[in-house]
Amino acid sequence: MHLLTLTTQVLRDPDAVAGSGDDHALARLAPPLLVLAVGGAAVLGLAVGASAGPLQSVYAAVKLPALFLVPPLVVLPLVHTFAEACGVSVPWSRLGIATLAGLARSGLLAAAAAPVLWLPFSLDAEYHLAVLAFVATFGLVALPALATLSRAVPTGGRLRWVAVLGTLAMLGLVTAQTGWLLRPFVARPAGVVAFLRPVESDIFSAIGATTRSATGDYDDDWQPRGSGLNRTVRE
Amino acid sequence: MSPSTLAMMLGAGWLLVGIGVGGLLLRQGQPTSAAAAAVLAWPAMVSLLGAESMDAPGAGPFAVKITAAFAALRAALAEPALGGVVELNSLQGIERSLRRADARLAAVDRLLEDPVVASDAGSVRLITARAHAADEVEAVLRQLLAVRVQLGLVALAGDTSAVRAHLGELAARAQALEEVTC
Amino acid sequence: MPLSESEGVPAAVAPPLVPTPGATPSPPHPDLSPPDFHARPWVHARAVGGIAALGLAAGVAGQAEALARAPAGLAAAVGVILLATPALVVGHQYLRMRASPGALLSAVADAFTRGGVVALGVSPAVVWLSATSDLGPTVGALVLFALGAFVLLRTLLNLVDVERLAGGSTEGAGTFALLWTGLGGLIGLRLLFFFTF
């Protein structure tokens, strides 16, 4: 399908694209949808990294598509099995195409939001405000993808609310940790531009330490340490 | 382990699995673009493993014509002036029915290649039914060409009702291919 | 598909646990959808594998203690079934409720099977979290608790369903099912701590 036509359809009526979900449609539509998702996320990455120079822009443009793609794809098996457990049958191909259609829509919205974000970043916006603006933008453009995926699951079933809550919770967890793994996207003003920072602890312990610091509690000597597989290899 | 190594390892692992899935899709006859997309988005595309390819080896005598006809129709619908005239779902249903009929023709052809079957008295009826089914598939393909011509009229006059009605008839006719009797 | 040949209950179309390609069956009355009690054996195997996979996923970063606790979830699930279901059957029959013992056991098995299938689906996410952080065991435990609650909730609904389909009173069945699932939950928690610490 012509990319421009697909762009129009994804923006105006993503459910129609998501609803065309059989295996043939998936094979045909997956490549252009992926191009839209990755391209749009990369454009947002270019804008987000702008405050620290062109190298950081390129780094962020490479990493942001991964932040878009990895969490929903990792959580996709949970969506399928939870729907099954609630008594709702949804073909895997339909979920796959709905996920990609949602991601394409979010990618396009991200590309549209990029200039809005770039303006303050290019004027050396304060670091913490910049991070908050990035997180807020990411959350806003990701919502349509969630909506498209949730509408792809047929109605009905029992304990559906458990499936929705559980999936959202796991998606939030995986997204937060993936973002932590792939940081930095917004470089610190005096920091060295780096592709990735060491895998230290996890986002929740870091948030806890930051919160304590923000309340003036500097006594706790929280030190970042290797975690997950990184810690295992070091030990 | 260097700072980026863990992320690189996970990324490499993801891509390796993706390359494996993409390779399997290529072997199955899926389009190259789908196999390439699977390198990044393989969790969403695992359902294609084992799925029937659009141009599967088992496809019948009309496989190439069906592919060409729908490619041309979709290309025509990609014109900005004609966007939204037809829903994707209506085309897919017709294509699916045509491909199933084509696959059945291929199965019958393989059966008739057996000299024992071909020389049986009952094979006359089978050959007649096969010819009838093939005529129906050809008729639907000719109608698809007529739809493309109608799309040109839509581009000029803007009236989409005739095209939709024509596609509705085609969908019913394609559905009837599932019920072709001797 | 009849629930039980001996019950004489009219056959009801149950939504299959495993999706049929191209089909999206839905029950005629969603509120009365009967549990699918005649799932094929491989569905149960998938559920058991799912709970085991969840335990392994939580310890994928190679933390020895976490790996040692990997079978805890499966052991707790089996323990609840073995310890609590006799009480379910005995109490149900003593109170002269209508559903047969077979239907009760099927109701419990159906709920555990659904929970196991979800455990399989959540395992990739837990693997990801475990490989990239120290959250693996914590998330694994939280997921196990959440799944346990889901399974008990589903068991409660299934037990009310089988009683209603057998022509019994749903109020009494609901109260009994609530008490039994509470007992099952407490046993499950105790077993989980026993196998974990």
Side-chain angles (χ1 to χ4, degrees):
Chain A
M1 174 179 279
H2 197 275
L3 204 59
L4 204 55
T5 311
L6 186 61
T7 301
T8 312
Q9 275 197 315
V10 161
L11 287 170
R12 294 173 72 95
D13 193 3
D15 295 339
V17 179
S20 58
D22 66 352
D23 288 327
H24 288 161
L26 179 60
R28 198 179 62 248
L29 292 175
L33 287 174
L34 199 58
V35 164
L36 291 175
V38 170
V43 168
L44 182 63
L46 284 173
V48 163
S51 58
L55 190 58
Q56 182 62 25
S57 282
V58 171
Y59 286 165
V62 169
K63 292 185 295 183
L64 205 51
L67 185 58
F68 265 67
L69 287 179
V70 168
L73 292 178
V74 165
V75 171
L76 203 57
L78 178 60
V79 175
H80 188 263
T81 52
F82 236 141
E84 189 181 318
C86 293
V88 177
S89 171
V90 51
W92 190 271
S93 58
R94 183 177 176 137
L95 277 184
I97 203 169
T99 303
L100 291 174
L103 286 172
R105 193 160 196 236
S106 290
L108 290 166
L109 292 172
V116 177
L117 212 56
W118 175 81
L119 266 174
F121 279 31
S122 66
L123 296 172
D124 293 328
E126 198 269 327
Y127 171 70
H128 293 286
L129 277 178
V131 170
L132 284 174
F134 164 58
V135 170
T137 305
F138 181 84
L140 278 173
V141 302
L143 283 176
L146 278 180
T148 305
L149 181 57
S150 72
R151 285 195 296 265
V153 180
T155 53
R158 307 180 88 179
L159 298 179
R160 186 79 178 255
W161 59 273
V162 176
V164 170
L165 283 177
T167 307
L168 282 176
M170 188 52 74
L171 183 62
L173 207 57
V174 173
T175 305
Q177 182 59 26
T178 306
W180 180 253
L181 178 72
L182 293 174
R183 73 194 203 289
F185 295 94
V186 182
R188 288 184 178 274
V192 176
V193 172
F195 185 61
L196 293 168
R197 286 210 202 115
V199 178
E200 296 162 347
S201 302
D202 54 78
I203 186 169
F204 298 104
S205 66
I207 288 173
T210 303
T211 307
R212 286 191 295 275
S213 302
T215 58
D217 176 11
Y218 299 102
D219 292 337
D220 188 17
D221 56 343
W222 179 84
Q223 291 294 332
R225 55 188 171 82
S227 64
L229 286 172
N230 202 22
R231 185 177 76 164
T232 305
V233 174
R234 281 186 182 174
E235 287 169 357
Chain B
M1 187 185 285
S2 71
S4 307
T5 304
L6 174 65
M8 294 300 188
M9 272 173 53
L10 291 170
W14 182 284
L15 290 175
L16 270 174
V17 175
I19 289 169
V21 171
L24 285 171
L25 290 178
L26 268 180
R27 280 181 64 183
Q28 271 178 218
Q30 296 288 353
T32 312
S33 56
V39 173
L40 285 182
W42 57 269
M45 300 179 70
V46 287
S47 65
L48 290 179
L49 292 172
E52 186 186 288
S53 160
M54 297 278 254
D55 299 311
F62 293 100
V64 174
K65 280 188 185 176
I66 292 170
T67 304
F70 280 93
L73 188 53
R74 288 193 176 102
L77 287 169
E79 296 286 343
L82 298 171
V85 168
V86 169
E87 287 178 9
L88 286 174
N89 290 347
S90 57
L91 285 185
Q92 281 160 21
I94 301 171
E95 186 175 3
R96 206 177 301 130
S97 296
L98 277 174
R99 291 203 182 273
R100 283 200 202 116
D102 182 54
R104 286 194 293 273
L105 285 171
V108 168
D109 288 344
R110 284 192 294 274
L111 201 62
L112 287 171
E113 281 171 12
D114 185 350
V116 175
V117 171
S119 60
D120 187 80
S123 68
V124 173
R125 200 172 160 198
L126 183 61
I127 293 168
T128 308
R130 188 253 179 231
H132 177 62
D135 288 342
E136 283 295 308
V137 171
E138 291 239 30
V140 173
L141 287 172
R142 279 196 298 273
Q143 289 298 311
L144 282 174
L145 177 59
V147 167
R148 276 176 60 201
V149 172
Q150 260 187 323
L151 284 174
L153 292 169
V154 167
L156 291 171
D159 179 16
T160 62
S161 57
V163 173
R164 292 179 196 273
H166 200 161
L167 275 174
E169 287 167 16
L170 264 182
R173 199 163 177 180
Q175 185 65 31
L177 287 172
E178 313 265 4
E179 300 147 14
V180 170
T181 55
C182 303
Chain C
M1 181 183 297
L3 294 172
S4 162
E5 296 296 338
S6 62
E7 284 185 311
V9 175
V13 176
L17 202 55
V18 178
T20 308
T24 52
S26 57
H29 302 285
D31 289 340
L32 297 178
S33 60
D36 181 13
F37 297 148
H38 296 274
R40 294 181 289 279
W42 75 271
V43 174
H44 297 300
R46 195 162 64 118
V48 169
I51 302 174
L54 179 61
L56 287 171
V60 83
Q63 293 129 355
E65 282 182 18
L67 272 176
R69 291 173 198 158
L74 190 56
V78 172
V80 168
I81 292 174
L82 289 177
L83 290 174
T85 44
L88 170 69
V89 174
V90 167
H92 210 265
Q93 299 306 302
Y94 182 79
L95 293 170
R96 293 191 173 83
M97 287 191 236
R98 296 221 180 166
S100 72
L104 296 174
L105 294 176
S106 293
V108 172
D110 175 78
F112 275 84
T113 301
R114 290 174 194 265
V117 163
V118 177
L120 188 63
V122 81
S123 296
V126 175
V127 166
W128 182 259
L129 290 170
S130 189
T132 60
S133 69
D134 290 336
L135 294 173
T138 309
V139 171
L142 285 172
V143 168
L144 206 53
F145 284 128
L147 277 179
F150 173 74
V151 166
L152 290 174
L153 203 53
R154 184 72 204 207
T155 306
L156 195 153
L157 292 175
N158 284 358
L159 290 173
V160 171
D161 273 351
V162 291
E163 186 63 21
R164 179 163 38 200
L165 286 166
S169 154
T170 54
E171 281 179 9
T175 308
F176 180 74
L178 190 62
L179 289 171
W180 183 82
T181 50
L183 173 69
L186 289 172
I187 292 175
L189 274 174
R190 180 67 190 92
L191 287 173
L192 208 54
F193 276 102
F194 175 75
F195 287 118
T196 307
F197 299 107

Short mmCIF file of all heavy atoms in Angstrom, two decimals, chain B residues 101-133:
data_model
loop_
_atom_site.label_atom_id
_atom_site.label_comp_id
_atom_site.label_asym_id
_atom_site.label_seq_id
_atom_site.Cartn_x
_atom_site.Cartn_y
_atom_site.Cartn_z
N ALA B 101 -10.26 -20.90 -3.96
CA ALA B 101 -10.75 -21.59 -5.16
C ALA B 101 -9.57 -22.02 -6.02
O ALA B 101 -9.56 -23.12 -6.59
CB ALA B 101 -11.68 -20.66 -5.94
N ASP B 102 -8.58 -21.15 -6.12
CA ASP B 102 -7.39 -21.45 -6.92
C ASP B 102 -6.64 -22.66 -6.33
O ASP B 102 -6.17 -23.53 -7.07
CB ASP B 102 -6.48 -20.21 -6.94
CG ASP B 102 -5.25 -20.41 -7.79
OD1 ASP B 102 -5.41 -20.79 -8.98
OD2 ASP B 102 -4.13 -20.22 -7.28
N ALA B 103 -6.54 -22.69 -5.02
CA ALA B 103 -5.87 -23.82 -4.36
C ALA B 103 -6.63 -25.13 -4.61
O ALA B 103 -6.02 -26.19 -4.81
CB ALA B 103 -5.72 -23.56 -2.87
N ARG B 104 -7.96 -25.04 -4.61
CA ARG B 104 -8.76 -26.25 -4.89
C ARG B 104 -8.54 -26.72 -6.32
O ARG B 104 -8.45 -27.92 -6.59
CB ARG B 104 -10.24 -25.99 -4.63
CG ARG B 104 -10.59 -25.92 -3.15
CD ARG B 104 -12.10 -26.01 -2.96
NE ARG B 104 -12.77 -24.83 -3.50
CZ ARG B 104 -12.97 -23.71 -2.82
NH1 ARG B 104 -12.55 -23.59 -1.58
NH2 ARG B 104 -13.60 -22.70 -3.39
N LEU B 105 -8.44 -25.77 -7.25
CA LEU B 105 -8.15 -26.14 -8.64
C LEU B 105 -6.80 -26.84 -8.72
O LEU B 105 -6.64 -27.83 -9.45
CB LEU B 105 -8.15 -24.89 -9.53
CG LEU B 105 -9.51 -24.29 -9.86
CD1 LEU B 105 -9.35 -22.95 -10.55
CD2 LEU B 105 -10.31 -25.24 -10.74
N ALA B 106 -5.82 -26.33 -7.97
CA ALA B 106 -4.49 -26.95 -8.00
C ALA B 106 -4.56 -28.38 -7.47
O ALA B 106 -3.93 -29.29 -8.03
CB ALA B 106 -3.52 -26.13 -7.14
N ALA B 107 -5.37 -28.58 -6.43
CA ALA B 107 -5.49 -29.93 -5.86
C ALA B 107 -6.13 -30.87 -6.88
O ALA B 107 -5.69 -32.02 -7.04
CB ALA B 107 -6.33 -29.88 -4.59
N VAL B 108 -7.15 -30.37 -7.58
CA VAL B 108 -7.82 -31.21 -8.58
C VAL B 108 -6.86 -31.52 -9.72
O VAL B 108 -6.80 -32.65 -10.22
CB VAL B 108 -9.09 -30.51 -9.10
CG1 VAL B 108 -9.63 -31.22 -10.33
CG2 VAL B 108 -10.14 -30.46 -8.01
N ASP B 109 -6.08 -30.53 -10.14
CA ASP B 109 -5.11 -30.74 -11.23
C ASP B 109 -4.10 -31.81 -10.85
O ASP B 109 -3.73 -32.67 -11.68
CB ASP B 109 -4.39 -29.43 -11.56
CG ASP B 109 -5.31 -28.45 -12.29
OD1 ASP B 109 -6.37 -28.89 -12.79
OD2 ASP B 109 -4.97 -27.24 -12.35
N ARG B 110 -3.64 -31.75 -9.61
CA ARG B 110 -2.67 -32.77 -9.15
C ARG B 110 -3.31 -34.16 -9.16
O ARG B 110 -2.70 -35.16 -9.51
CB ARG B 110 -2.15 -32.42 -7.76
CG ARG B 110 -1.13 -31.31 -7.74
CD ARG B 110 -0.43 -31.21 -6.39
NE ARG B 110 -1.33 -30.80 -5.33
CZ ARG B 110 -1.60 -29.53 -5.03
NH1 ARG B 110 -1.06 -28.55 -5.74
NH2 ARG B 110 -2.41 -29.24 -4.03
N LEU B 111 -4.59 -34.18 -8.80
CA LEU B 111 -5.32 -35.46 -8.80
C LEU B 111 -5.43 -36.01 -10.21
O LEU B 111 -5.24 -37.22 -10.45
CB LEU B 111 -6.70 -35.21 -8.19
CG LEU B 111 -7.48 -36.39 -7.62
CD1 LEU B 111 -6.71 -37.00 -6.46
CD2 LEU B 111 -8.84 -35.93 -7.12
N LEU B 112 -5.73 -35.12 -11.14
CA LEU B 112 -5.94 -35.56 -12.53
C LEU B 112 -4.63 -35.94 -13.21
O LEU B 112 -4.65 -36.58 -14.27
CB LEU B 112 -6.65 -34.44 -13.32
CG LEU B 112 -8.12 -34.24 -12.98
CD1 LEU B 112 -8.67 -32.98 -13.64
CD2 LEU B 112 -8.95 -35.45 -13.40
N GLU B 113 -3.50 -35.54 -12.64
CA GLU B 113 -2.22 -35.95 -13.21
C GLU B 113 -1.97 -37.44 -13.03
O GLU B 113 -1.15 -38.04 -13.72
CB GLU B 113 -1.08 -35.15 -12.55
CG GLU B 113 -0.93 -33.74 -13.10
CD GLU B 113 0.05 -32.90 -12.29
OE1 GLU B 113 0.77 -33.47 -11.43
OE2 GLU B 113 0.09 -31.69 -12.48
N ASP B 114 -2.68 -38.01 -12.07
CA ASP B 114 -2.54 -39.46 -11.84
C ASP B 114 -3.28 -40.18 -12.96
O ASP B 114 -4.50 -40.03 -13.10
CB ASP B 114 -3.13 -39.81 -10.47
CG ASP B 114 -2.92 -41.26 -10.10
OD1 ASP B 114 -2.49 -42.04 -10.98
OD2 ASP B 114 -3.18 -41.61 -8.95
N PRO B 115 -2.57 -40.99 -13.75
CA PRO B 115 -3.22 -41.64 -14.90
C PRO B 115 -4.36 -42.58 -14.47
O PRO B 115 -5.35 -42.75 -15.20
CB PRO B 115 -2.10 -42.43 -15.58
CG PRO B 115 -0.93 -42.37 -14.68
CD PRO B 115 -1.13 -41.30 -13.68
N VAL B 116 -4.24 -43.12 -13.29
CA VAL B 116 -5.29 -44.02 -12.81
C VAL B 116 -6.59 -43.23 -12.62
O VAL B 116 -7.68 -43.67 -13.01
CB VAL B 116 -4.87 -44.71 -11.49
CG1 VAL B 116 -6.00 -45.54 -10.94
CG2 VAL B 116 -3.63 -45.57 -11.73
N VAL B 117 -6.44 -42.05 -12.01
CA VAL B 117 -7.63 -41.22 -11.76
C VAL B 117 -8.18 -40.69 -13.09
O VAL B 117 -9.39 -40.69 -13.33
CB VAL B 117 -7.27 -40.04 -10.83
CG1 VAL B 117 -8.42 -39.05 -10.73
CG2 VAL B 117 -6.90 -40.55 -9.45
N ALA B 118 -7.24 -40.26 -13.96
CA ALA B 118 -7.67 -39.66 -15.22
C ALA B 118 -8.42 -40.66 -16.10
O ALA B 118 -9.29 -40.27 -16.89
CB ALA B 118 -6.45 -39.10 -15.96
N SER B 119 -8.08 -41.93 -15.98
CA SER B 119 -8.71 -42.92 -16.85
C SER B 119 -10.00 -43.46 -16.25
O SER B 119 -10.72 -44.23 -16.90
CB SER B 119 -7.73 -44.09 -17.11
OG SER B 119 -7.39 -44.69 -15.87
N ASP B 120 -10.31 -43.06 -15.01
CA ASP B 120 -11.55 -43.54 -14.38
C ASP B 120 -12.75 -42.87 -15.04
O ASP B 120 -12.69 -41.71 -15.47
CB ASP B 120 -11.50 -43.23 -12.88
CG ASP B 120 -12.67 -43.84 -12.16
OD1 ASP B 120 -12.62 -45.05 -11.88
OD2 ASP B 120 -13.65 -43.10 -11.92
N ALA B 121 -13.85 -43.61 -15.11
CA ALA B 121 -15.07 -43.08 -15.75
C ALA B 121 -15.58 -41.84 -15.05
O ALA B 121 -16.11 -40.91 -15.66
CB ALA B 121 -16.15 -44.17 -15.78
N GLY B 122 -15.42 -41.80 -13.72
CA GLY B 122 -15.92 -40.65 -12.95
C GLY B 122 -15.12 -39.39 -13.16
O GLY B 122 -15.55 -38.31 -12.75
N SER B 123 -13.96 -39.51 -13.81
CA SER B 123 -13.11 -38.33 -13.95
C SER B 123 -13.73 -37.31 -14.91
O SER B 123 -13.39 -36.13 -14.87
CB SER B 123 -11.73 -38.73 -14.44
OG SER B 123 -11.80 -39.22 -15.77
N VAL B 124 -14.63 -37.77 -15.77
CA VAL B 124 -15.28 -36.83 -16.72
C VAL B 124 -16.03 -35.76 -15.94
O VAL B 124 -15.97 -34.56 -16.25
CB VAL B 124 -16.24 -37.60 -17.65
CG1 VAL B 124 -17.03 -36.63 -18.51
CG2 VAL B 124 -15.45 -38.58 -18.52
N ARG B 125 -16.75 -36.22 -14.92
CA ARG B 125 -17.50 -35.29 -14.09
C ARG B 125 -16.57 -34.33 -13.37
O ARG B 125 -16.84 -33.13 -13.22
CB ARG B 125 -18.30 -36.11 -13.09
CG ARG B 125 -19.46 -35.37 -12.49
CD ARG B 125 -20.29 -36.32 -11.66
NE ARG B 125 -21.11 -35.57 -10.74
CZ ARG B 125 -21.68 -36.06 -9.65
NH1 ARG B 125 -21.53 -37.33 -9.37
NH2 ARG B 125 -22.41 -35.31 -8.88
N LEU B 126 -15.42 -34.88 -12.89
CA LEU B 126 -14.43 -34.06 -12.18
C LEU B 126 -13.87 -32.99 -13.11
O LEU B 126 -13.70 -31.83 -12.74
CB LEU B 126 -13.31 -34.96 -11.64
CG LEU B 126 -12.22 -34.28 -10.80
CD1 LEU B 126 -12.78 -33.62 -9.56
CD2 LEU B 126 -11.15 -35.31 -10.42
N ILE B 127 -13.58 -33.39 -14.36
CA ILE B 127 -13.00 -32.45 -15.32
C ILE B 127 -14.02 -31.35 -15.64
O ILE B 127 -13.66 -30.17 -15.74
CB ILE B 127 -12.56 -33.19 -16.61
CG1 ILE B 127 -11.39 -34.12 -16.30
CG2 ILE B 127 -12.21 -32.22 -17.72
CD1 ILE B 127 -11.07 -35.11 -17.40
N THR B 128 -15.28 -31.73 -15.78
CA THR B 128 -16.33 -30.74 -16.07
C THR B 128 -16.45 -29.75 -14.92
O THR B 128 -16.52 -28.53 -15.13
CB THR B 128 -17.68 -31.43 -16.30
OG1 THR B 128 -17.53 -32.46 -17.27
CG2 THR B 128 -18.74 -30.45 -16.74
N ALA B 129 -16.46 -30.27 -13.69
CA ALA B 129 -16.56 -29.40 -12.52
C ALA B 129 -15.36 -28.48 -12.42
O ALA B 129 -15.46 -27.29 -12.08
CB ALA B 129 -16.69 -30.24 -11.25
N ARG B 130 -14.20 -29.01 -12.73
CA ARG B 130 -12.98 -28.22 -12.68
C ARG B 130 -13.04 -27.08 -13.69
O ARG B 130 -12.68 -25.94 -13.40
CB ARG B 130 -11.76 -29.13 -12.96
CG ARG B 130 -10.42 -28.47 -12.74
CD ARG B 130 -9.74 -28.17 -14.06
NE ARG B 130 -8.45 -27.51 -13.83
CZ ARG B 130 -8.07 -26.37 -14.42
NH1 ARG B 130 -8.88 -25.77 -15.28
NH2 ARG B 130 -6.89 -25.83 -14.17
N ALA B 131 -13.52 -27.38 -14.88
CA ALA B 131 -13.62 -26.35 -15.93
C ALA B 131 -14.62 -25.27 -15.51
O ALA B 131 -14.40 -24.07 -15.72
CB ALA B 131 -14.05 -26.99 -17.24
N HIS B 132 -15.73 -25.69 -14.90
CA HIS B 132 -16.74 -24.74 -14.46
C HIS B 132 -16.18 -23.80 -13.39
O HIS B 132 -16.38 -22.57 -13.44
CB HIS B 132 -17.95 -25.53 -13.93
CG HIS B 132 -19.02 -24.66 -13.38
ND1 HIS B 132 -19.70 -23.74 -14.13
CD2 HIS B 132 -19.54 -24.59 -12.12
CE1 HIS B 132 -20.58 -23.12 -13.37
NE2 HIS B 132 -20.51 -23.61 -12.16
N ALA B 133 -15.44 -24.40 -12.43
CA ALA B 133 -14.84 -23.60 -11.36
C ALA B 133 -13.82 -22.62 -11.93
O ALA B 133 -13.75 -21.45 -11.53
CB ALA B 133 -14.18 -24.52 -10.32
#
